[in-house]
Amino acid sequence: MPVATEEIRDADDEDISDTNDASTVVERERDEVDEMVEAQQAKAQAERSRIMKDFEDKLYVKERAEEARKYANSLFKSDKLSEAAAAYERCLTLCSNSDSASRVVLLANMAAVHLKQWRWRDALQICDEVLKIEPAHPKALYRKAQAYRGLRNTDEALTAIAQARSVMKEAGKDVGCAELDTLEKHVRKDIAKTEAAAAEARGVELRKARRLEQAYAKQAAMIARQHKEETRAAKGRGDWSEMLVSDIVKRLGSDESRMLIQEEDGWVHVTEVPDKKLEVDAQTIEKEDGSCSLTYELSLSLICNCVQMRGTWDDPGLITFKLGIEIYGVSHNSNPETWGAHAFLLQPNDDRSRVKKMMETYVRPRYLSHVKGLVNDSINNLKAKVLAEVEFDIIASAPSKAALETQGSTASAIGIE
């Protein structure tokens, strides 16, 4: 039995081997056939290319220029646009520069090819070449309008359409007017779409701006509420120093600070305060009982530009000078009567009796009192703001500016440096 089984297996192996050899032969024959077919196709294509090249070489000669143009036209009508463009370029080489009529026809046809290829700028350039040769060429103007439409330049497109219509009207031609009307209709539709899109974009931007504005308003309101709550929680531990400095600077820059002092035979006018220096430390201190008290310390130095006028308005006799002012010793533990004040002459620095007398008699006592009054008003304004925001034991208010202006004798005791 084992021997018989081995013989059967050997027979099967021989059948399989024979089958594999047959399939290999079939595949080899099929490959050979495919290669033969491909070779024949390549040979036929090469022959067609040779025949076409031979035809074109014979076609594109000056004696057959018209036939070459018709051949290029046939390529264009068959939608072989790249071949048509190349054909028209070869036809142009057959035209002499003096044959402007033929060049115009070929260039206009090339523009038509580029329009179908969506090569708007190339078409526009070729139309301009045609119009340089023949400014009233209707087809060039029409195709120029098409190119401008493709470039989304609707204004220039309408201008070219109007020029083409004018040329046709002068020539008495109705042919092409329908195409111009259709093109103009399309251009105006483009304008309407562009305007609608722009309006929609503006609407979107406006809605976006409104939403942002509302968001900013909500955010600002939230920040304001948070700040107010924090201020209440802190019981007045805000930046009172900055608030006091801002108020004093504002008062010194106002018309109120530019004091006009009348003397015996003239006036002294403080025209401006160009330089200011303030050192301020203001804060609220919480007491054990939960209330707050305001403490502050302040020093101030100014440079004032002044003008002294004497005589009449026609002959005033002006003298300009710079005046230095210092206020110090200002604190919650002092009052305006005990504040230090100092005034000195910066320019001119010579000892002119007239200016010195004017300083001693009029400017120093009155303007020092005036500046002290401005500072005192700012301090009282700060106290009112603090009182409105926190519970605190307010210090007794200092005298008003009007009361201070009557205290010239106190200020006049300060000498001039």
Side-chain angles (χ1 to χ4, degrees):
M1 289 297 293
V3 174
T5 302
E6 189 69 27
E7 290 175 356
I8 293 170
R9 184 180 297 113
D10 291 341
D12 291 341
D13 290 341
E14 291 177 0
D15 293 340
I16 292 171
S17 177
D18 293 340
T19 303
N20 290 337
D21 291 341
S23 63
T24 301
V25 171
V26 171
E27 290 179 0
R28 188 182 302 115
E29 291 177 353
R30 184 182 297 116
D31 292 340
E32 290 176 355
V33 171
D34 290 341
E35 290 177 0
M36 188 182 301
V37 171
E38 290 178 359
Q40 290 176 353
Q41 289 177 347
K43 184 177 180 181
Q45 181 64 33
E47 182 65 17
R48 282 197 298 272
S49 299
R50 185 189 66 77
I51 293 172
M52 181 63 67
K53 185 177 185 304
D54 183 65
F55 169 73
E56 291 183 352
D57 289 341
K58 292 179 180 179
L59 179 68
Y60 292 107
V61 294
K62 291 186 178 181
E63 292 76 10
R64 304 178 66 183
E66 182 62 22
E67 189 175 351
R69 183 182 66 79
K70 291 179 179 179
Y71 174 65
N73 291 345
S74 67
L75 292 174
F76 173 70
K77 292 176 182 178
S78 301
D79 281 336
K80 298 178 180 179
L81 301 178
S82 299
E83 293 88 342
Y88 284 126
E89 288 180 1
R90 292 186 65 182
C91 288
L92 281 170
T93 62
L94 306 179
C95 293
S96 62
N97 293 331
S98 60
D99 190 2
S100 59
S102 298
R103 294 186 66 83
V104 163
V105 172
L106 292 171
L107 287 171
N109 290 345
M110 281 186 67
V113 173
H114 290 330
L115 287 174
K116 277 201 168 187
Q117 292 175 316
W118 290 14
R119 293 166 58 182
W120 312 118
R121 297 190 184 280
D122 292 337
L124 184 62
Q125 182 179 357
I126 292 176
C127 288
D128 287 336
E129 290 184 28
V130 174
L131 294 172
K132 286 180 182 178
I133 301 172
E134 188 178 336
H137 194 278
K139 285 187 177 181
L141 290 170
Y142 173 71
R143 288 166 186 167
K144 184 176 182 179
Q146 288 180 302
Y148 273 128
R149 186 197 173 205
L151 293 171
R152 300 182 185 276
N153 191 338
T154 52
D155 292 339
E156 293 294 341
L158 291 175
T159 301
I161 290 172
Q163 291 174 348
R165 184 173 280 115
S166 176
V167 167
M168 291 181 179
K169 185 177 179 181
E170 289 178 1
K173 295 180 180 179
D174 294 332
V175 179
C177 290
E179 288 82 354
L180 285 175
D181 294 339
T182 302
L183 178 59
E184 183 176 2
K185 187 182 296 183
H186 288 315
V187 171
R188 296 199 179 278
K189 283 184 179 180
D190 293 342
I191 294 174
K193 289 180 181 178
T194 303
E195 291 177 350
E200 178 62 23
R202 287 194 298 270
V204 170
E205 292 297 325
L206 183 59
R207 290 191 293 272
K208 187 187 297 184
R210 287 175 179 171
R211 288 195 296 269
L212 286 175
E213 185 178 356
Q214 292 172 358
Y216 290 150
K218 290 180 180 179
Q219 185 180 15
M222 182 180 67
I223 292 173
R225 286 195 301 270
Q226 183 179 359
H227 176 70
K228 188 174 182 180
E229 292 172 0
E230 290 176 353
T231 302
R232 290 177 179 175
K235 290 189 176 181
R237 287 189 290 272
D239 195 353
W240 304 114
S241 300
E242 183 178 350
M243 188 179 298
L244 183 57
V245 169
S246 178
D247 191 69
I248 292 174
V249 170
K250 181 179 179 181
R251 292 175 186 273
L252 289 172
S254 65
D255 293 337
E256 185 181 3
S257 69
R258 299 181 178 89
M259 187 175 179
L260 183 66
I261 304 171
Q262 185 174 2
E263 50 177 308
E264 292 178 352
D265 55 350
W267 298 266
V268 176
H269 185 204
V270 179
T271 57
E272 61 177 343
V273 184
D275 193 8
K276 316 171 188 68
K277 182 179 179 182
L278 289 92
E279 294 182 1
V280 178
D281 182 16
Q283 58 183 324
T284 54
I285 300 176
E286 186 174 357
K287 297 182 180 180
E288 294 181 357
D289 59 0
S291 63
C292 293
S293 62
L294 175 65
T295 63
Y296 57 88
E297 293 182 359
L298 181 147
S299 63
L300 168 69
S301 61
L302 308 174
I303 295 177
C304 310
N305 293 335
C306 305
V307 175
Q308 183 191 30
M309 297 175 287
R310 282 178 175 265
T312 64
W313 288 105
D314 297 330
D315 186 16
L318 298 179
I319 294 179
T320 60
F321 60 94
K322 286 186 180 291
L323 176 67
I325 297 289
E326 291 182 355
I327 305 291
Y328 51 91
V330 180
S331 73
H332 56 281
N333 291 324
S334 64
N335 56 58
E337 287 86 355
T338 61
W339 292 352
H342 182 61
F344 51 94
L345 195 63
L346 292 173
Q347 292 178 358
N349 54 11
D350 57 342
D351 188 15
R352 292 203 222 181
S353 58
R354 174 180 170 184
V355 176
K356 185 175 181 179
K357 178 182 177 182
M358 173 268 301
M359 281 286 295
E360 291 280 356
T361 308
Y362 301 104
V363 176
R364 177 167 41 81
R366 292 192 182 183
Y367 196 64
L368 281 175
S369 178
H370 181 72
V371 173
K372 287 167 72 175
L374 293 177
V375 173
N376 189 60
D377 286 347
S378 293
I379 292 173
N380 287 333
N381 185 51
L382 176 66
K383 291 178 180 179
K385 289 182 179 179
V386 173
L387 185 61
E389 296 190 19
V390 298
E391 297 177 358
F392 91 122
D393 296 335
I394 190 165
I395 301 171
S397 298
S400 65
K401 185 177 69 173
L404 285 171
E405 290 179 348
T406 62
Q407 299 172 357
S409 58
T410 303
S412 63
I414 305 171
I416 297 177
E417 291 185 356

